[in-house]
Amino acid sequence: MQTLIENVNIINPFEEVKTSQNVLIEDNLIKEISSDKISAKDNVEIIDGEDNYLLSGFIDCHCHIFAKGFHKEENMANPLGIHFYNAVPHSLQTINAGVTSIRDCGSADLSFKLAQQRGLFTAPKIHLSITPLVMTGGHFDLLLPSGFDMEIIYPGFPKGRCDGIEEVLKKTREIKRAGADFIKVMASGGVLTTNTSPEFAQFNKKELKTIVKEASASDMKVSAHCHSLKGMNNCIDAGFSSIEHGTFIDKKTACKMVKKNVSLVPTLLVHQFLYKNGFPAWDSYAEEKTQKLKEIVKVHKENISIAYEEGVNILMGTDSGVIPHGHNLEELTHLTDIGMSADEAIASGTIKAAQYLNQDNLGLVKENFIADLILVNSNPLDDVSVLSDNDNILNVMQGGSIVK
């Protein structure tokens, strides 16, 4: 199967815009790019690019495709099936936003990955963590003071709570068995869980090193939800590959991340979105969450700016699922607000994200690269905020097939 996109301007980060190009796609790969007429098969599908802009599809490095706010009340009230059905509209919203791949940091299981691969519904490709490791009393230990446990579990989806070297070792193996592509660890408190606070570290160094050692045996990376400065340093020393959020990061820790090649996924959008829009009135823990959020918003942007200035590898992630899906590329505007150029922001969600995921033929509009592409009606290098409006994303192609 061939598709020919004619008359487009190609944008790759840190390169000159290639104007008036033709792009031939065969099956799931970009076969040829040329300013000259391209020979194709008789039954080729031709798309008139109308002088619009062609970019790689984006990779959201931190989202929760099954989640709809992580409200405990909904976990308690809804039938389990709703947990899965939510992924269908969430996936379409994500695709329509120009995101063709996601790194799910907790809640999605192997069924989603298989359903996407089998084309059961329109969905982004996924890298799974299954469920995060969480210590007793830590962030996302959903056992409430009432004694009721709000954690969703079912066959094939292991419970994340574990303590001590033996338990974290076994739990890491259970999550690997469940089909995870990487391991996620809750290494500090967070906003959404009652009785935890973002500035405090969670899990001890021996536990963290045990998790990394077991993950490394299968060449798997380990990621840390972490706001805490001490927690970040514990994870960096233990051999983690990425820090998610990184709210209280300082210059010294940023320099250590550069030295040890640890990436940062700051998820700037989620805190700004929640601070602006708040939590539902029926959320029993809304006031407690809001107070913690105020402390985070004060320092997050400033500290991530320091990390950027020190050269930390920053990847685009949104924490969608905590907030509504489909706003993903608004994160790019927040990244430019901390000092990134438009090229750098776009790269954080395309080629740099692909490199982090060890996908060496994804993230650029280039011959022999996977045809995950978006067509945009104006040049995001002039104003990256155009990508925030889903109406500006005219078409989305995934693996050579048009999905929007």
Side-chain angles (χ1 to χ4, degrees):
M1 176 182 137
Q2 287 188 331
T3 303
L4 179 60
I5 306 173
E6 296 182 325
N7 188 27
V8 289
N9 306 305
I10 293 176
I11 292 179
N12 285 318
F14 315 115
E15 297 179 9
E16 291 292 326
V17 178
K18 294 180 179 178
T19 59
S20 302
Q21 299 292 300
N22 303 307
V23 180
L24 180 64
I25 296 159
E26 188 164 288
D27 298 325
N28 70 328
L29 296 177
I30 299 170
K31 185 176 182 181
E32 185 178 351
I33 299 173
S34 178
S35 57
D36 297 326
K37 184 175 177 63
I38 293 177
S39 298
K41 296 177 181 178
D42 291 339
N43 61 346
V44 64
E45 180 179 2
I46 298 176
I47 299 172
D48 185 355
E50 298 181 345
D51 202 32
N52 290 306
Y53 293 82
L54 192 68
L55 292 80
S56 171
F58 281 82
I59 301 168
D60 189 332
C61 288
H62 188 124
C63 71
H64 305 274
I65 200 68
F66 280 18
K68 194 177 181 180
F70 288 106
H71 300 298
K72 302 173 184 67
E73 293 86 346
E74 290 189 340
N75 289 357
M76 182 169 60
N78 286 334
L80 178 60
I82 296 296
H83 180 63
F84 305 98
Y85 289 128
N86 279 336
V88 177
H90 296 170
S91 294
L92 189 58
Q93 290 162 347
T94 302
I95 288 287
N96 287 341
V99 173
T100 50
S101 294
I102 59 174
R103 178 171 167 263
D104 192 278
C105 286
S107 75
D109 65 11
L110 186 59
S111 69
F112 181 95
K113 187 173 187 176
L114 296 176
Q116 188 280 326
Q117 290 173 346
R118 296 171 186 178
L120 299 185
F121 55 92
T122 300
K125 301 170 186 176
I126 192 167
H127 292 257
L128 290 165
S129 66
I130 307 296
T131 192
L133 301 186
V134 52
M135 72 178 199
T136 296
H139 184 47
F140 265 69
D141 178 357
L142 299 182
L143 184 71
L144 304 182
S146 63
F148 288 100
D149 194 343
M150 294 295 103
E151 184 172 2
I152 294 175
I153 58 170
Y154 48 87
F157 193 82
K159 198 174 187 69
R161 192 185 303 136
C162 52
D163 302 283
I165 291 173
E166 295 300 323
E167 283 192 16
V168 300
L169 174 62
K170 184 175 182 181
K171 192 60 63 175
T172 302
R173 288 175 176 172
E174 287 181 3
I175 290 172
K176 286 165 64 174
R177 180 178 63 188
D181 299 302
F182 70 101
I183 303 297
K184 167 83 178 295
V185 181
M186 297 302 198
S188 83
V191 172
L192 298 184
T193 306
T194 186
N195 297 326
T196 73
S197 188
E199 68 267 28
F200 296 128
Q202 297 180 353
F203 286 111
N204 62 44
K205 289 183 179 181
K206 289 184 178 179
E207 291 169 324
L208 297 173
K209 287 180 179 179
T210 299
I211 295 165
V212 170
K213 185 177 180 180
E214 179 57 32
S216 298
S218 303
D219 291 329
M220 294 172 68
K221 293 181 177 179
V222 184
S223 163
H225 156 100
C226 200
H227 299 284
S228 158
L229 185 61
K230 181 180 179 182
M232 280 184 264
N233 280 283
N234 287 346
C235 291
I236 295 164
D237 292 341
F240 278 54
S241 297
S242 73
I243 302 293
E244 317 292 310
H245 315 307
T247 300
F248 298 111
I249 193 170
D250 62 7
K251 183 174 180 178
K252 183 178 178 181
T253 303
C255 290
K256 186 191 287 190
M257 289 179 69
V258 173
K259 184 177 180 180
K260 297 203 172 185
N261 194 30
V262 180
S263 297
L264 174 64
V265 188
T267 65
L268 293 157
L269 170 64
V270 65
H271 298 137
Q272 296 294 333
F273 190 99
L274 289 175
Y275 189 68
K276 179 180 178 181
N277 295 282
F279 299 93
W282 49 261
D283 188 330
S284 303
Y285 298 95
E287 184 175 351
E288 179 184 337
K289 293 176 185 177
T290 301
Q291 289 304 313
K292 288 188 282 187
L293 191 62
K294 284 180 180 178
E295 294 303 311
I296 284 177
V297 168
K298 284 180 185 177
V299 299
H300 193 200
K301 179 181 174 181
E302 180 180 341
N303 290 346
I304 300 303
S305 296
I306 291 170
Y308 165 69
E309 289 167 4
E310 295 305 315
V312 175
N313 185 43
I314 292 176
L315 305 175
M316 188 198 85
T318 64
D319 222 354
S320 294
V322 174
I323 60 176
H325 298 268
H327 298 270
N328 307 66
L329 298 192
E330 289 181 26
E331 179 72 11
L332 300 175
T333 303
H334 292 287
L335 291 174
T336 57
D337 285 345
I338 65 161
M340 278 187 164
S341 66
D343 278 296
E344 289 174 316
I346 290 169
S348 75
T350 54
I351 184 59
K352 285 195 171 183
Q355 289 168 346
Y356 179 84
L357 298 175
N358 297 321
Q359 293 196 257
D360 58 6
N361 64 342
L362 186 66
L364 294 173
V365 185
K366 186 175 178 181
E367 290 177 0
N368 298 315
F369 271 52
I370 294 172
D372 289 358
L373 305 167
I374 64 172
L375 191 65
V376 184
N377 64 8
S378 53
N379 187 350
L381 295 178
D382 294 334
D383 179 7
V384 78
S385 70
V386 301
L387 295 169
S388 301
D389 186 344
N390 295 352
D391 289 339
N392 293 332
I393 299 170
L394 306 175
N395 295 110
V396 177
M397 182 173 281
Q398 186 187 55
S401 297
I402 297 173
V403 289
K404 176 185 178 181

